[in-house]
């Protein structure tokens, strides 16, 4: 089943995000290689591709997991969580309708 992992950043966490980014991307690469990643990316703090020093307000990951518990466990181990980037993480089941 698919799960949406909705993450909200702490204010002023851009430097911590930058430092933890390689490890964060490595985990996403692994999901992609397994064919389980649907999409992933950050929410820019400004309405543009590169918000610069304004940074990001959070992230969204949609991926396939065996269960909600497995998705939550995976999210709990995210390097951004351990680095103090994410203030909160919500994991929810997700039903893909489009694209078909």
């Amino acid at each position: 089943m698919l799960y949406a992992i909705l993450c909200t950043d702490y204010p002023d966490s851009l430097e911590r995000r930058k430092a933890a980014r390689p490890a964060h991307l490595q985990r996403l690469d692994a999901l992609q290689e397994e064919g389980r990643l649907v999409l992933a990316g950050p929410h820019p703090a400004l309405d543009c591709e590169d918000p610069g020093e304004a940074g990001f307000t959070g992230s969204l990951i949609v991926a396939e997991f065996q269960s909600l518990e497995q998705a939550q466990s995976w999210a709990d181990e995210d390097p951004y969580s351990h680095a103090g980037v994410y203030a909160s993480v919500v994991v929810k089941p997700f039903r893909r309708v489009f694209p078909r």
Side-chain angles (χ1 to χ4, degrees):
M1 173 146 191
L2 294 178
Y3 294 89
I5 302 171
L6 306 154
C7 310
T8 303
D9 287 12
Y10 282 108
D12 301 317
S13 61
L14 182 59
E15 292 307 314
R16 293 187 300 273
R17 179 181 270 271
K18 288 178 182 178
R21 189 168 192 262
H24 173 77
L25 293 180
Q26 185 176 30
R27 294 181 82 233
L28 292 172
D29 282 336
L31 279 180
Q32 185 171 3
E33 288 171 10
E34 295 168 5
R36 296 172 39 208
L37 183 64
V38 174
L39 64 87
H43 301 286
L46 302 175
D47 187 11
C48 61
E49 285 288 318
D50 182 0
E53 291 305 308
F56 301 91
T57 61
S59 300
L60 169 65
I61 300 164
V62 177
E64 184 178 348
F65 293 93
Q66 293 280 333
S67 65
L68 178 60
E69 293 77 18
Q70 187 186 57
Q72 184 67 59
S73 178
W74 186 91
D76 290 344
E77 294 304 314
D78 194 290
Y80 282 172
S81 291
H82 291 290
V85 174
Y86 292 153
S88 67
V89 176
V90 176
V91 179
K92 299 176 164 189
F94 181 80
R95 183 171 165 238
R96 180 179 170 162
V97 175
F98 288 98
R100 292 181 186 190

